[in-house]
Amino acid sequence: MSCGTEKKKAVDLHQGVLQKNLSPERYLKIQLELEEAVTLTEVELRFFIISGLRSLHGEVGAALNFDLLEHSDVSNVAVLKVSKDDLVKLWSSLTLQGFYKNHRCAFRVLQVSSSPPDS
């Protein structure tokens, strides 16, 4: 194999990696850990996330657009889709949530990716 062919493959591989990172969305796989066993519906979880955004970033934060793609009320694991520009705002508000209905809680970010995570 010639040196030129190897360089072309390296460039093509590099460009392929760059193409993957151009996705405008990010996917967060999160888990809500609660001090006591509390079950949240999708609506309750979405409202809880929005209230965290509102408390940290005000009404502008509460208007942040995200999608709740998957939710397991058994394990409290969910997958969120958000624009890469809003990722830091969403992530920071999740990190600072400490209580849900007077129960201590914490969001754990299990995975962040530019494509939907495996279930």
Side-chain angles (χ1 to χ4, degrees):
M1 198 178 282
S2 72
C3 184
T5 305
E6 288 177 20
K7 285 183 181 178
K8 183 178 180 341
K9 285 185 178 181
V11 169
D12 289 344
L13 178 62
H14 180 69
Q15 288 175 346
V17 171
L18 290 177
Q19 290 295 330
K20 288 181 182 179
N21 292 331
L22 293 177
S23 172
E25 292 94 18
R26 294 295 180 257
Y27 297 85
L28 281 83
K29 186 173 185 178
I30 60 170
Q31 182 174 27
L32 178 59
E33 295 181 0
L34 294 154
E35 187 175 53
E36 296 184 21
V38 177
T39 303
L40 278 80
T41 66
E42 279 191 37
V43 173
E44 291 170 325
L45 179 60
R46 185 171 182 77
F47 182 77
F48 186 43
I49 293 169
I50 291 170
S51 69
L53 285 163
R54 180 177 288 114
S55 69
L56 185 60
H57 300 291
E59 291 302 318
V60 172
L64 187 140
N65 189 22
F66 70 93
D67 293 322
L68 180 57
L69 300 178
E70 296 177 27
H71 172 253
S72 168
D73 54 356
V74 174
S75 63
N76 283 327
V77 172
V79 175
L80 307 176
K81 182 174 86 169
V82 64
S83 76
K84 67 181 180 181
D85 295 334
D86 292 331
L87 175 64
V88 172
K89 287 181 184 175
L90 179 60
W91 196 335
S92 61
S93 70
L94 293 173
T95 302
L96 294 174
Q97 291 282 52
F99 288 92
Y100 177 74
K101 295 186 177 179
N102 296 323
H103 298 287
R104 293 185 57 76
C105 71
F107 277 103
R108 304 287 181 224
V109 177
L110 305 174
Q111 183 180 356
V112 178
S113 64
S114 58
S115 59
D118 297 330
S119 296

